[in-house]
Coordinates of all heavy atoms in Angstrom, one line a residue:
L78 N -13.1 -9.2 6.1 CA -13.3 -7.8 6.5 C -14.6 -7.3 5.9 O -14.8 -7.3 4.7 CB -12.1 -6.9 6.2 CG -10.8 -7.3 7.0 CD1 -9.7 -6.4 6.5 CD2 -10.9 -7.1 8.5
T79 N -15.4 -6.5 6.7 CA -16.5 -5.8 6.3 C -16.1 -4.4 5.8 O -15.1 -3.9 6.3 CB -17.6 -5.7 7.3 OG1 -17.1 -4.8 8.4 CG2 -18.0 -7.0 7.8
N80 N -17.0 -3.6 5.0 CA -16.6 -2.3 4.6 C -16.3 -1.4 5.8 O -15.4 -0.6 5.8 CB -17.6 -1.7 3.6 CG -17.6 -2.5 2.3 OD1 -16.6 -3.1 2.0 ND2 -18.5 -2.3 1.5
P81 N -17.3 -1.4 6.8 CA -17.1 -0.5 7.9 C -15.7 -0.8 8.7 O -15.1 0.1 9.2 CB -18.3 -0.8 8.9 CG -19.3 -1.3 8.0 CD -18.6 -2.1 6.9
E82 N -15.4 -2.1 8.8 CA -14.1 -2.5 9.4 C -12.9 -1.9 8.7 O -12.0 -1.4 9.2 CB -14.0 -4.0 9.6 CG -14.8 -4.6 10.6 CD -15.0 -6.1 10.5 OE1 -14.7 -6.7 9.5 OE2 -15.4 -6.7 11.5
I83 N -13.1 -1.9 7.3 CA -12.0 -1.5 6.4 C -11.8 0.0 6.6 O -10.7 0.5 6.7 CB -12.3 -1.9 4.9 CG1 -12.0 -3.4 4.8 CG2 -11.5 -1.1 3.9 CD1 -12.5 -3.9 3.4
L84 N -12.9 0.7 6.6 CA -12.9 2.2 6.8 C -12.2 2.6 8.2 O -11.3 3.4 8.2 CB -14.3 2.7 6.8 CG -15.0 3.1 5.6 CD1 -16.4 3.6 5.8 CD2 -14.2 4.1 4.8
A85 N -12.5 1.8 9.2 CA -11.9 2.1 10.5 C -10.4 1.8 10.5 O -9.6 2.5 11.1 CB -12.7 1.3 11.6
L86 N -10.0 0.7 9.8 CA -8.6 0.4 9.8 C -7.8 1.4 9.0 O -6.8 1.8 9.3 CB -8.4 -1.0 9.1 CG -8.8 -2.3 10.0 CD1 -9.0 -3.5 9.2 CD2 -7.8 -2.4 11.1
G87 N -8.4 1.9 7.9 CA -7.8 3.0 7.1 C -7.6 4.2 7.9 O -6.4 4.7 7.9
K88 N -8.6 4.6 8.7 CA -8.5 5.8 9.4 C -7.4 5.6 10.6 O -6.6 6.5 10.8 CB -9.8 6.0 10.2 CG -10.7 7.0 9.6 CD -11.8 7.5 10.5 CE -13.0 8.0 9.7 NZ -14.2 7.8 10.4
F89 N -7.4 4.4 11.2 CA -6.4 4.2 12.2 C -5.0 4.3 11.8 O -4.2 5.0 12.3 CB -6.6 2.8 12.9 CG -5.5 2.5 13.9 CD1 -5.6 2.8 15.2 CD2 -4.4 1.8 13.5 CE1 -4.6 2.6 16.2 CE2 -3.4 1.5 14.4 CZ -3.5 1.9 15.7
F90 N -4.6 3.6 10.6 CA -3.3 3.5 10.2 C -2.8 4.9 9.6 O -1.7 5.3 9.7 CB -2.9 2.4 9.2 CG -2.9 1.1 10.0 CD1 -3.9 0.1 9.9 CD2 -1.8 0.8 10.8 CE1 -3.8 -1.0 10.7 CE2 -1.7 -0.3 11.6 CZ -2.7 -1.3 11.5
A91 N -3.8 5.7 9.0 CA -3.5 6.9 8.4 C -3.1 7.9 9.5 O -2.2 8.8 9.2 CB -4.6 7.5 7.6
A92 N -3.6 7.7 10.7 CA -3.3 8.6 11.8 C -2.0 8.3 12.5 O -1.6 9.0 13.4 CB -4.5 8.6 12.7
Q93 N -1.4 7.2 12.3 CA -0.1 6.8 13.0 C 1.1 7.5 12.3 O 1.2 7.7 11.1 CB 0.1 5.2 12.9 CG -1.1 4.4 13.4 CD -1.5 4.9 14.8 OE1 -0.7 4.9 15.8 NE2 -2.8 5.3 15.0
Q94 N 2.0 7.8 13.2 CA 3.2 8.5 12.8 C 4.2 7.5 12.1 O 4.5 6.4 12.6 CB 3.9 9.1 14.0 CG 5.2 9.9 13.8 CD 4.8 11.3 13.3 OE1 3.8 11.8 13.6 NE2 5.6 11.8 12.3
R95 N 4.7 7.8 10.9 CA 5.6 7.0 10.2 C 7.0 7.1 10.9 O 7.5 8.2 11.1 CB 5.7 7.4 8.7 CG 6.8 6.6 7.9 CD 6.6 5.1 7.7 NE 5.3 4.9 6.9 CZ 5.2 4.6 5.6 NH1 6.3 4.6 4.9 NH2 4.1 4.3 5.1
A96 N 7.6 5.9 11.3 CA 8.9 6.1 11.9 C 10.0 6.6 11.0 O 9.9 6.4 9.7 CB 9.3 4.6 12.3
A97 N 11.1 7.2 11.5 CA 12.2 7.7 10.7 C 12.8 6.6 10.0 O 12.9 5.5 10.5 CB 13.2 8.5 11.5
P98 N 13.3 6.7 8.7 CA 13.9 5.6 8.0 C 15.1 5.1 8.8 O 15.8 5.8 9.4 CB 14.3 6.3 6.7 CG 14.0 7.7 6.7 CD 13.3 8.0 8.0
A99 N 15.4 3.7 8.6 CA 16.4 3.1 9.3 C 17.8 3.5 8.8 O 18.8 3.6 9.6 CB 16.2 1.5 9.2
Q100 N 17.9 3.7 7.5 CA 19.2 4.1 7.0 C 19.1 5.2 5.9 O 18.0 5.4 5.4 CB 19.9 2.9 6.4 CG 19.5 2.5 5.0 CD 18.3 1.6 5.1 OE1 17.5 1.6 6.0 NE2 18.1 0.7 4.1
K101 N 20.2 6.0 5.8 CA 20.2 7.0 4.8 C 21.1 6.6 3.6 O 22.2 6.1 3.9 CB 20.9 8.3 5.4 CG 19.8 9.1 6.2 CD 19.4 10.4 5.3 CE 18.2 11.0 6.0 NZ 16.8 10.9 5.3
P102 N 20.6 6.7 2.4 CA 21.4 6.4 1.3 C 22.5 7.4 1.1 O 22.5 8.5 1.6 CB 20.4 6.3 0.1 CG 19.2 7.1 0.6 CD 19.2 7.2 2.0
S103 N 23.5 7.0 0.3 CA 24.7 7.9 -0.1 C 24.1 9.2 -0.9 O 23.1 9.1 -1.4 CB 25.7 7.2 -0.9 OG 25.1 6.9 -2.3
E104 N 25.0 10.2 -0.9 CA 24.6 11.5 -1.6 C 24.4 11.1 -3.1 O 23.5 11.7 -3.7 CB 25.8 12.5 -1.4 CG 25.8 13.1 0.0 CD 24.4 13.8 0.5 OE1 23.8 14.4 -0.4 OE2 24.1 13.7 1.6
A105 N 25.2 10.3 -3.6 CA 25.1 9.9 -5.0 C 23.7 9.3 -5.3 O 23.1 9.6 -6.3 CB 26.2 9.0 -5.4
V106 N 23.2 8.3 -4.5 CA 22.0 7.7 -4.6 C 20.8 8.7 -4.5 O 19.9 8.7 -5.3 CB 21.8 6.5 -3.7 CG1 20.4 6.0 -3.6 CG2 22.7 5.3 -4.1
I107 N 20.9 9.6 -3.5 CA 20.0 10.6 -3.3 C 19.8 11.5 -4.6 O 18.7 11.7 -5.0 CB 20.3 11.5 -2.0 CG1 20.2 10.6 -0.8 CG2 19.4 12.7 -2.0 CD1 20.5 11.3 0.5
A108 N 20.9 11.9 -5.1 CA 20.9 12.8 -6.3 C 20.3 12.0 -7.5 O 19.4 12.5 -8.2 CB 22.4 13.3 -6.7
A109 N 20.7 10.8 -7.8 CA 20.2 10.0 -8.9 C 18.8 9.6 -8.7 O 18.0 9.7 -9.6 CB 21.1 8.7 -9.0
G110 N 18.4 9.3 -7.5 CA 17.0 8.9 -7.1 C 16.1 10.1 -7.3 O 14.9 9.9 -7.9
R111 N 16.4 11.3 -6.8 CA 15.7 12.5 -7.0 C 15.4 12.9 -8.5 O 14.2 13.1 -8.8 CB 16.3 13.6 -6.3 CG 15.4 14.8 -6.2 CD 16.1 16.0 -5.4 NE 16.4 15.7 -4.1 CZ 17.4 16.1 -3.4 NH1 18.4 16.7 -4.0 NH2 17.6 15.8 -2.1
K112 N 16.4 12.7 -9.3 CA 16.3 12.9 -10.7 C 15.4 12.0 -11.4 O 14.5 12.4 -12.1 CB 17.7 12.9 -11.3 CG 17.6 13.3 -12.9 CD 19.0 13.5 -13.4 CE 19.0 14.0 -14.9 NZ 17.9 13.7 -15.6
L113 N 15.5 10.6 -11.1 CA 14.6 9.7 -11.6 C 13.1 9.9 -11.2 O 12.2 9.9 -12.0 CB 15.0 8.2 -11.1 CG 16.1 7.6 -11.7 CD1 16.6 6.3 -11.0 CD2 15.9 7.3 -13.3
A114 N 12.9 10.3 -9.9 CA 11.5 10.5 -9.4 C 10.9 11.7 -10.2 O 9.7 11.7 -10.3 CB 11.5 10.7 -7.9
E115 N 11.8 12.7 -10.5 CA 11.2 13.8 -11.3 C 11.0 13.5 -12.8 O 10.0 13.7 -13.3 CB 12.1 15.0 -11.1 CG 11.8 15.8 -9.7 CD 12.9 16.7 -9.3 OE1 13.7 17.1 -10.1 OE2 12.8 17.0 -8.1
D116 N 12.1 12.9 -13.4 CA 12.0 12.5 -14.8 C 10.8 11.7 -15.1 O 10.3 11.7 -16.2 CB 13.3 11.9 -15.2 CG 14.5 12.8 -15.3 OD1 14.2 14.1 -15.1 OD2 15.6 12.4 -15.5
Y117 N 10.5 10.7 -14.2 CA 9.5 9.7 -14.5 C 8.2 10.1 -13.8 O 7.3 9.2 -13.7 CB 10.0 8.3 -14.0 CG 11.0 7.7 -14.9 CD1 12.3 7.6 -14.5 CD2 10.8 7.3 -16.1 CE1 13.3 7.0 -15.2 CE2 11.8 6.7 -17.0 CZ 13.0 6.6 -16.5 OH 14.0 6.0 -17.3
N118 N 8.1 11.3 -13.4 CA 6.8 11.9 -12.8 C 6.3 11.1 -11.6 O 5.1 11.3 -11.3 CB 5.7 11.8 -13.9 CG 6.0 12.7 -15.1 OD1 6.6 13.8 -14.8 ND2 5.6 12.4 -16.2
C119 N 7.1 10.4 -10.9 CA 6.7 9.8 -9.6 C 6.0 10.9 -8.7 O 5.0 10.7 -8.1 CB 7.8 9.1 -8.9 SG 8.9 8.1 -9.9
V120 N 6.6 12.0 -8.7 CA 6.2 13.1 -7.8 C 4.9 13.7 -8.2 O 4.2 14.3 -7.4 CB 7.3 14.2 -7.7 CG1 8.6 13.8 -6.9 CG2 7.8 14.8 -9.1
V121 N 4.6 13.6 -9.5 CA 3.3 14.2 -10.0 C 2.1 13.5 -9.3 O 1.3 14.1 -8.8 CB 3.2 14.1 -11.5 CG1 1.8 14.6 -12.0 CG2 4.3 15.0 -12.2
C122 N 2.2 12.2 -9.3 CA 1.1 11.4 -8.7 C 1.3 11.1 -7.2 O 0.4 11.3 -6.4 CB 0.9 10.0 -9.4 SG 0.4 10.2 -11.2

Side-chain angles (χ1 to χ4, degrees):
L78 295 178
T79 64
N80 291 347
E82 287 169 341
I83 286 175
L84 275 177
L86 286 164
K88 261 194 207 151
F89 174 84
F90 284 108
Q93 304 308 305
Q94 184 77 32
R95 175 69 61 100
Q100 77 277 29
K101 277 259 167 249
S103 68
E104 289 302 323
V106 166
I107 292 174
R111 187 179 293 141
K112 184 166 183 338
L113 285 170
E115 280 165 14
D116 289 353
Y117 289 107
N118 291 332
C119 317
V120 290
V121 174
C122 294

